[in-house]
Amino acid sequence: MVCVSSSFVFRLYRININMGTDIMKAIVLSLFLSTLLSCLVSSATGEGLLRIGLKKVKMDHNNRIAAQLDSKKGESLRDFDYIRKYHLRGSLGDAPETDIVALKNYLDAQYYGEIGIGTPPQKFTVIFDTGSSNMWVPSAKCYFSVACYFHARYKSSQSKTYKKNGTDAAIQYGTGAISGFFSKDDVKVGDLVVKNQEFIEATSEPGVTFLVAKFDGILGLGFQEISVGNAVPVWYNMVEQGLVKEPVFSFWLNRKAGEEEGGELVFGGVDPKHFKGKHTYVPVTRKGYWQFGMGDVLIGGKPTGYCSGGCSAIADSGTSLLAGPSTVIAMINRAIGASGVVSQECKAVVQQYGQNILDLLMAQVHPKKVCSQIGLCTFDGTRGVSIRIESMVDENNGKSGILRDAMCSACEMAVVWMQNQLTQNQTQERILDYANELCDRMPSPMGESSVDCGRLSSMPKVAFTIGGKTFDLSPEEYILKVGEGAQAQCISGFTGLDVPPPRGPLWILGDVFLGRYHTVFDSGKLRVGFAEAA
């Protein structure tokens, strides 16, 4: 994810395809939820450990208006995901002091806490985002973006420890962007003060995304490799300056809506009260995001086969939903009865080429070569890519070329779906019907898909293989319920995100997953650990 992660209802989910350069945050998933959180904190901290607590509050009238405004812009679900991406709390240990930082949870979509910048500290609420690496807050020099006037703004003239930098900076998110310039100042997180921290003063925050956000800015917890301007992340300086006991931080997200405590982020260790058993650790395979290798995805206990050869995933505290390749997301949404937008290109491919695809698969043609053999893609040795784009492009707007691309992608998805059904010994008729059904389950353009709230008990578990162990999610854990009674709406926690090779396929395990599994981010040993949350 690029420098933005940030993860809908409010989620700016960024995927840094070209790590170390510009930003590209590929999705923003949305979740609109039903409660706001307010925070009080109380937590004990040990020496070198910082604990950040999350508390929940009921949604007030202004919050409802903001959510409605965002929804009218067609971005509410995605934006929530962005917000959700931040969820923290915690510090523990046996030290003499108490370190308490209040974090708020907005609709289970935004988890944010308070920090201070400057001397004396100027207060800001930020999202703690493992999917990005920069820290930014609105600047007092932000004059022309309405969003800045609804949030706290940093005033360098009022800080004794401010140091000028002035280098331009810009970050692009899935549903928004910010730009501004770098500055340096002391940053206070709980009782820890990080000296000379480089951050971005945002002078431009166009669009509705940040206008309705409950947070002022973002504090990235990813690796420096994806940091815009190669700025040193706050976490790096915490470790370098000896402020934490261990180079480890951990998240516990409380998914019980009725409870006040929203969760916990611990800097410097873990809180044993919030997990069961032992963590399963997997090595970080690529620094930037907290990326690791993942095995196959199972639906109702049956493997999809899509990741049988291995996939990559990232643990992203700034993303509300769980994002993955559209091919498998469509299979999951079909299994849980989620309804998205019908893809005409997908149905056209199945209707026109479905039998040809099936015949080639039964003839043992390599799945990656099927679409090239029927003329929709050309095989480049790793994946199918659209052919004859130039010759198909309309002189005026290139629509034919774009259509060709869509049909190539649809063909590749159909191949995976049919191959999956062939391994289950389904009839040809059933396989073609299945592919057509999956076309109807393709996510909508904004990524969200709805389900019948009354069907939760009949929905299958969805599981992910990590470190040789299966981590499952029940319907109650992957379905997001908004409202109560007859007015309640249920949203699939799965959304499509297609990251091409060599970076992808890539899965983004956001709060839907991290809420079920306590997560440890170990930068000392370069590993990520998951254990059942308590």
Side-chain angles (χ1 to χ4, degrees):
M1 317 219 309
V2 171
C3 302
V4 181
S5 122
S6 258
S7 97
F8 297 127
V9 188
F10 232 25
R11 156 147 180 78
L12 299 181
Y13 181 79
R14 334 168 307 148
I15 289 190
N16 197 333
I17 306 292
N18 300 315
M19 293 201 333
T21 64
D22 247 334
I23 326 159
M24 175 184 173
K25 187 133 200 172
I27 14 179
V28 179
L29 319 187
S30 288
L31 289 250
F32 39 82
L33 313 161
S34 59
T35 72
L36 206 202
L37 321 105
S38 134
C39 62
L40 335 153
V41 249
S42 79
S43 59
T45 154
E47 184 176 355
L49 288 172
L50 173 64
R51 177 182 196 165
I52 299 178
L54 303 177
K55 300 291 180 178
K56 294 188 177 181
V57 238
K58 293 185 178 179
M59 191 174 191
D60 62 26
H61 179 65
N62 290 334
N63 292 329
R64 293 182 185 280
I65 293 176
Q68 290 169 3
L69 173 61
D70 194 32
S71 176
K72 288 177 182 178
K73 293 293 183 181
E75 296 177 351
S76 63
L77 287 183
R78 293 192 177 244
D79 287 339
F80 262 17
D81 212 28
Y82 186 59
I83 291 179
R84 242 188 126 132
K85 184 165 193 169
Y86 311 95
H87 175 91
L88 323 166
R89 183 188 182 218
S91 117
L92 329 246
D94 39 17
E97 302 178 8
T98 322
D99 224 353
I100 295 175
V101 178
L103 289 187
K104 296 183 180 180
N105 171 348
Y106 179 58
L107 302 182
D108 277 352
Q110 303 177 41
Y111 291 92
Y112 50 99
E114 188 176 275
I115 64 170
I117 303 177
T119 307
Q122 298 173 38
K123 295 181 180 180
F124 298 89
T125 55
V126 297
I127 296 280
F128 294 82
D129 181 14
T130 60
S132 65
S133 301
N134 289 90
M135 182 182 120
W136 66 264
V137 294
S139 172
K141 295 180 175 66
C142 180
Y143 304 118
F144 303 110
S145 292
V146 176
C148 290
Y149 291 92
F150 285 82
H151 296 282
R153 292 185 289 169
Y154 172 74
K155 302 176 180 65
S156 60
S157 61
Q158 296 182 6
S159 173
K160 298 176 183 178
T161 45
Y162 161 74
K163 292 182 178 64
K164 183 178 180 179
N165 180 312
T167 304
D168 290 343
I171 298 178
Q172 177 67 50
Y173 294 88
T175 55
I178 66 103
S179 61
F181 57 89
F182 282 104
S183 291
K184 273 190 177 182
D185 210 332
D186 293 351
V187 175
K188 185 177 182 180
V189 183
D191 283 342
L192 305 183
V193 177
V194 180
K195 300 291 186 180
N196 297 314
Q197 177 61 49
E198 195 170 14
F199 66 99
I200 298 171
E201 289 191 50
T203 57
S204 176
E205 298 180 26
V208 72
T209 296
F210 296 114
L211 174 64
V212 300
K214 298 303 168 187
F215 57 87
D216 301 316
I218 291 175
L219 192 156
L221 293 171
F223 291 93
Q224 189 173 1
E225 278 78 352
I226 59 170
S227 176
V228 170
N230 201 37
V232 178
V234 173
W235 169 243
Y236 279 46
N237 282 328
M238 275 189 184
V239 175
E240 178 65 25
Q241 295 175 22
L243 302 179
V244 291
K245 190 174 182 180
E246 298 178 65
V248 170
F249 61 90
S250 56
F251 279 91
W252 166 67
L253 306 186
N254 188 359
R255 306 297 282 180
K256 297 177 182 177
E259 297 185 1
E260 246 187 285
E261 190 175 37
E264 175 180 276
L265 167 62
V266 178
F267 285 112
V270 298
D271 187 341
K273 299 193 305 294
H274 292 308
F275 64 89
K276 302 175 184 177
K278 295 182 178 181
H279 287 82
T280 296
Y281 285 95
V282 287
V284 171
T285 55
R286 185 171 185 176
K287 290 172 66 179
Y289 307 113
W290 287 87
Q291 182 171 327
F292 52 91
M294 189 182 83
D296 209 1
V297 180
L298 293 80
I299 304 174
K302 296 180 180 180
T304 61
Y306 188 84
C307 289
S308 57
C311 281
S312 292
I314 64 174
D316 188 354
S317 64
T319 297
S320 300
L321 304 183
L322 195 157
S326 296
T327 302
V328 187
I329 295 301
M331 295 171 71
I332 294 173
N333 282 339
R334 183 260 180 189
I336 68 178
S339 301
V341 172
V342 177
S343 168
Q344 296 302 320
E345 291 84 359
C346 179
K347 294 181 76 69
V349 166
V350 173
Q351 181 178 358
Q352 297 176 40
Y353 303 100
Q355 188 61 54
N356 291 345
I357 293 172
L358 198 51
D359 291 343
L360 290 171
L361 288 174
M362 294 178 69
Q364 303 299 307
V365 172
H366 194 288
K368 288 185 177 180
K369 296 184 178 181
V370 169
C371 294
S372 63
Q373 291 202 16
I374 62 176
L376 291 181
C377 304
T378 184
F379 184 67
D380 66 0
T382 56
R383 71 184 294 273
V385 293
S386 160
I387 64 170
R388 291 186 295 166
I389 293 180
E390 291 183 353
S391 62
M392 295 294 293
V393 170
D394 181 282
E395 291 183 359
N396 296 318
N397 53 30
K399 289 182 179 178
S400 297
I402 294 173
L403 175 61
R404 196 73 177 179
D405 264 339
M407 294 185 74
C408 174
S409 297
C411 177
E412 290 178 324
M413 288 191 285
V415 168
V416 174
W417 298 337
M418 293 182 185
Q419 181 68 17
N420 170 268
Q421 292 296 288
L422 279 172
T423 61
Q424 298 182 33
N425 297 318
Q426 298 290 339
T427 65
Q428 293 190 36
E429 181 180 5
R430 176 62 195 132
I431 292 173
L432 292 172
D433 287 343
Y434 176 78
N436 267 305
E437 290 175 17
L438 289 181
C439 287
D440 289 334
R441 303 299 181 181
M442 293 296 294
S444 73
M446 291 307 296
E448 72 276 3
S449 297
S450 62
V451 299
D452 181 354
C453 293
R455 295 191 59 253
L456 263 65
S457 61
S458 63
M459 294 179 189
K461 287 187 175 182
V462 177
F464 301 85
T465 308
I466 301 172
K469 182 178 178 180
T470 300
F471 292 82
D472 61 58
L473 296 173
S474 68
E476 292 75 19
E477 292 160 343
Y478 63 68
I479 294 298
L480 306 170
K481 191 175 182 181
V482 184
E484 299 294 336
Q487 301 303 315
Q489 293 182 321
C490 288
I491 303 298
S492 167
F494 301 103
T495 188
L497 169 65
D498 295 302
V499 180
R503 183 70 176 179
L506 187 65
W507 288 82
I508 312 300
L509 305 186
D511 294 346
V512 165
F513 186 86
L514 302 185
R516 173 76 169 85
Y517 297 101
H518 181 274
T519 308
V520 176
F521 298 84
D522 187 340
S523 59
K525 297 181 179 178
L526 285 180
R527 61 181 186 170
V528 183
F530 302 99
E532 184 178 355

